[in-house]
Structure formats: C-alpha cells, structure tokens
Amino acid sequence: MLPWTVWLCDLDGTLVDSAPAHEAAFRHALAEHAPAALETFRYADHAGASTAAVAARLTGGPAAAARLARHKQRLYRAYVEAGLVRPFPGAHRLLDALGAAGRAAYLVTGGSRASVERVLSACPLPVRDVLTADDVPVSKPDPGFYRAACRRWGVRPAAAVALEDSAHGVASAVGAGLATLHVHTAEAAPGAVAAPDLDHIVSLLERWSAR
C-alpha cells in the first residue's frame, strides 16, 4: 500500500502544530498594517501558501505586502522561540519509521528559510534536506513548488508521495503528478487520500513493511 521510496513532507500543520501561532502572528500584523482585512481573514483559507503570497493577497501593493510579511514573520519567529510550536503526535514516529524502512524524507515547505530554521531548532526532525519558499519563485498551490523539489533532489514523481495538510499544498503536489496523503482530515482535497493523523500513516507503513 505504501511503496514510495521518497516522502516529500510539508512542515506547518503537517509535522508541526503551528497554525495557531501563524494565525496569531497574521492577526497582530494585520491589525497594524491592514486592519480592514481582519474582518474576513481566515488563516485556513491561506494555509500552505508563503507569507509573502498571503500578504500580497491581503494588501493593496508590494510595499504594504512587504511590511505586513516582515512584521508577521518577526512575530511568528518569536512565538516559535517561546515554545508555542511543537511537533504533532506521531511526527517523530513517522520519520523514524521511514528511516528504518530505508525511505528518504524531505521537507517541502512554504515557510521562509529563517522561520523554518527556527522551527527545526526548536523541534528537530530527522529529514535529509529542506526546500523553502525562499528557494522557489512560486508558492503553493502552484505545482511548480513540488516540481522544483523533485528537480532539486532528482526525484521521479512516480517514486514519491507528498504529505500535506492543506488544500493549497495538495493542489501543488497533485498538480506535480505526486501521489498525495492529506493528513489531519476526514475528507481529502481533490486528488489526495485522507489520513486522520500521522500515527495512522505509521500503522499503514508498518503493515506494508511486514509483507
């Protein structure tokens, strides 16, 4: 059932529980830089996209978007350093199981490199390498994000699976031709297979490996 040799894993909302910190950072930054956007802002509508891409959607021009993005990132990084972002239950178990089974796990995240480095310092995860929003000229849901990951690591899409938590992330991975697991959900976005949590995926991996 789980034959893939390469696992391309999202970080925020997939392996680490960071959505509350991201949403709080956005709301505080919006209150200062774009208060009119607060009324309709829902972090879930933007999850998976880079901060720069979200800021561009929420503001009226590049200068305002840049100010919003910088402020939001400063706040989020402070929340990470305060211990408000932690791995989901099952994250280390999954990555350890993949390593034991000879699978390669990489991070493919829409976070900025500076933010991702802080998260990985606070929540060390055994992955081979990391692709961030700073490394790709497009943002999820553009399939170019996952295509860039495949090119970077010489991965054939048929040999890999993407692990995502958001509709934007699923769209990017599916559009790039990857089998995709949509975790932390009962109903998967189009093209993906739903997985209720990371421990469920570990159980499937263990059953497949025991064959």
Side-chain angles (χ1 to χ4, degrees):
M1 180 179 288
L2 300 175
W4 308 289
T5 57
V6 177
W7 288 60
L8 304 179
C9 304
D10 177 53
L11 178 64
D12 292 298
T14 298
L15 296 178
V16 298
D17 187 5
S18 57
H22 275 298
E23 180 163 8
F26 263 120
R27 288 192 173 278
H28 281 93
L30 284 169
E32 179 171 335
H33 299 284
L38 270 175
E39 184 176 345
T40 57
F41 176 75
R42 291 181 67 254
Y43 175 70
D45 293 339
H46 306 283
S50 68
T51 294
V54 177
R57 293 175 197 154
L58 296 174
T59 56
R67 288 192 296 271
L68 173 62
R70 286 194 299 268
H71 191 182
K72 182 267 174 182
Q73 288 171 336
R74 285 197 301 271
L75 290 167
Y76 175 70
R77 292 164 190 171
Y79 295 154
V80 172
E81 291 170 358
L84 300 182
V85 173
R86 298 182 177 88
F88 274 114
H92 283 100
R93 185 174 172 231
L94 172 61
L95 293 173
D96 289 344
L98 291 175
R103 270 96 175 128
Y106 297 90
L107 287 183
V108 181
T109 170
S112 68
R113 184 157 293 274
S115 293
V116 171
E117 287 175 349
R118 282 169 173 79
V119 172
L120 294 179
S121 177
C123 312
L125 297 171
V127 295
R128 292 197 179 184
D129 200 2
V130 182
L131 184 82
T132 73
D134 294 341
D135 305 315
V136 187
V138 296
S139 176
K140 299 174 186 178
D142 193 313
F145 207 93
Y146 270 95
R147 289 182 185 133
C150 290
R151 287 194 302 271
R152 180 182 183 125
W153 298 311
V155 173
R156 292 184 302 108
V161 61
L163 183 61
E164 279 284 353
D165 75 299
S166 69
H168 282 159
V170 168
S172 177
V174 170
L178 292 161
T180 306
L181 299 176
H182 191 170
V183 74
H184 308 308
T185 186
E187 184 174 351
V193 175
D197 53 40
L198 298 174
D199 283 326
H200 178 75
I201 298 172
V202 174
S203 296
L204 294 178
L205 181 65
E206 289 173 343
R207 284 182 219 161
W208 186 87
S209 298
R211 291 182 177 182

